[in-house]
Amino acid sequence: KDPNKVALMKHDNPTVSSNPFSGIKALPNWRISYNGLTRIPGMEKIFSNFTVSHAYNSTLSMNSFNSALLYQDPLSRNYPGFIDTTGGGNSFVPYFLVPNITISEAFAPFIDLDMQFTNQMGARFEYKKSRQLSLSLVDFQLSESRSTEFVFGGRWRKRGFNLPFKVPFTKKDTKRLDNDITFTLDLGIRDDITSNSRLDQVTTLPTAGQKVITISPSIDYVLNNRVKIILYFDQRRTEPKISTSAPITNTRGGVKINISLAQ
C-alpha cells in the first residue's frame, strides 16, 4: 500500500475527547478448519479423520500517547510550527507523542494437516510463520522478529499390545496389555531471527536469533478409567545465530501418573 494512504492519526481534532485513531479500522482475523475430505469416495477406506486448518491473526498496539503542550500551528494547516531547541533546532514538536508502535501478525498455523488412519495410526504436519515489528520513536529504531516453525508428528494406538516382559503389579502371568496404549513421536524445528534498524541508516544489524530442534517421544497407557501412565522423553537443542551465545541442550524424561478423582 501507499504509505501516504495508510491512516495513522488525525491531527484536526476539535475537542480533547475526539478519537485521533478513528481512521484505523479493525481488520478480520480468521481460522478455517475443514474435515470433509473423508467424504470423498475411496478416502474413507484410508482415513477415519482428516482435518485441514489455517489461521491468521494480527494486532496493532501502542503502549501510550500524549499530547504535546508545546505544539503550535501558526498557519492552521496541521503542521507543527515550533522547533524544539533541545534537539539542535532540527526537531519539530508533533501534536501527539507516541513512544512505541508494535505490529504483530502470525499464520498460526499457515497449514495444519491432522490425519487419522483406519488402522489406528495418525500423522500430523504443521507449518507456522510469524513476525513482530516494534517501532521506537524514542531512540528511532525498528526491531523486527521473524519466526518459522515446522512440526512433524506421528502416533499409533493399539489395544491388546504384547510386551516382551511380564506386566508388573498384576496377579496373573501375562505379557498382554488389555487397555489402549498410544505411542507418540513429535519433531519440531523453529527458526527465529531478530534484527534492529536505525531510521537514519540503511544497514540492519542482527541482535538475536536461534534455531531450536525438539524431539519428544512418549508412551501413554490407560491403566483404568481413573489412572493413566505416561512415559515421556523431551530433548530441546538451541543453536544461536550470534557469537555471544553458546549452544544449549536441555533433556527431560520420566514417568507421569495422572489420577482422576472425578465421580
Side-chain angles (χ1 to χ4, degrees), residues 218-232:
S218 64
I219 301 175
D220 301 4
Y221 178 65
V222 180
L223 190 62
N224 51 50
N225 60 349
R226 294 184 180 274
V227 180
K228 181 179 180 180
I229 302 176
I230 303 174
L231 282 75
Y232 70 94

Side-chain angles (χ1 to χ4, degrees), residues 146-215:
R146 293 178 177 267
S147 178
T148 303
E149 183 177 2
F150 295 91
V151 177
F152 304 89
R155 60 185 179 274
W156 179 45
R157 185 178 61 186
K158 183 174 176 59
R159 178 184 291 269
F161 185 75
N162 294 322
L163 296 176
F165 52 86
K166 178 182 178 297
V167 180
F169 308 109
T170 57
K171 296 181 180 180
K172 56 183 179 178
D173 187 10
T174 179
K175 297 182 179 180
R176 182 181 179 88
L177 299 178
D178 296 331
N179 297 330
D180 290 345
I181 185 172
T182 304
F183 299 88
T184 304
L185 176 61
D186 290 328
L187 176 64
I189 302 174
R190 191 178 79 242
D191 195 349
D192 301 331
I193 184 66
T194 301
S195 60
N196 278 3
S197 303
R198 293 192 61 89
L199 301 185
D200 57 349
Q201 299 178 5
V202 296
T203 58
T204 301
L205 300 178
T207 57
Q210 60 186 5
K211 178 180 290 185
V212 182
I213 302 175
T214 59
I215 179 171

Side-chain angles (χ1 to χ4, degrees), residues 13-20 67 95:
N13 297 283
T15 62
V16 294
S17 61
S18 300
N19 182 13
S67 57
Y95 188 81

